[in-house]
Amino acid sequence: MKLPVSTEWVLHCATTLAQLEPGATASVKQLADYFDLPAPYLAKQLQALVKAGLLAATTGPRGGFRLARPPSEITLLELVEAVDGAASPYECREIRQKGRGALPPEDCRDTCILARKMAEAHDAWRAHLAGTTLAGILAELPPTAPSRTRRLLASTR
């Protein structure tokens, strides 16, 4: 499975926002500078997270983005699905019923074993991401990460 690069962006930006002091925000410019990303495209991705209720946005000179809920209530699955959707990356086209090797219809009454296995893998992937919160990610960061992140973001205002 290959996810778009924007998935990495939103995961890192959400993790960065989770490291801020409660109520603090970071602007698109700050986040784009922090990760060397194109600000206009990043803004679109962050707006998708706002629309999904994962981030809150404020306007004005001190405006920016912050988590809309506590880090313990935001899962990686929610973040991924906000920008990539929930569809399975595998689509069975029933090629087992085509070509010289086509199986007879009576052998294709059940779902293709490969489609079932791919669906099981997708479900396991989703379950793992659903069980991983931003709080869990923060718990695994080096202890110095949050203060470093806050310091570096503040220097880009």
Side-chain angles (χ1 to χ4, degrees), residues 6-71:
S6 58
T7 305
E8 178 186 12
W9 297 2
V10 299
L11 291 172
H12 278 282
C13 286
T15 301
T16 299
L17 293 172
Q19 295 174 68
L20 300 179
E21 296 292 342
T25 63
S27 69
V28 170
K29 180 185 179 331
Q30 285 176 297
L31 292 167
D33 288 349
Y34 191 79
F35 291 112
D36 193 25
L37 301 173
Y41 191 62
L42 178 60
K44 289 180 185 180
Q45 303 308 312
L46 296 178
Q47 284 301 326
L49 298 182
V50 171
K51 185 177 178 181
L54 302 169
L55 297 184
T58 55
T59 57
R62 307 264 321 150
F65 294 91
R66 63 176 171 75
L67 297 182
R69 303 191 315 247

Side-chain angles (χ1 to χ4, degrees), residues 92-99 101-102:
C92 181
R93 298 183 190 199
E94 279 296 341
I95 67 169
R96 66 186 176 155
Q97 297 181 52
K98 299 178 180 165

Side-chain angles (χ1 to χ4, degrees), residues 94 96-97 101-113:
E94 279 296 341
R96 66 186 176 155
Q97 297 181 52
L103 294 172
E106 59 271 14
D107 288 350
C108 299
R109 289 190 186 116
D110 293 330
T111 302
C112 169
I113 183 64

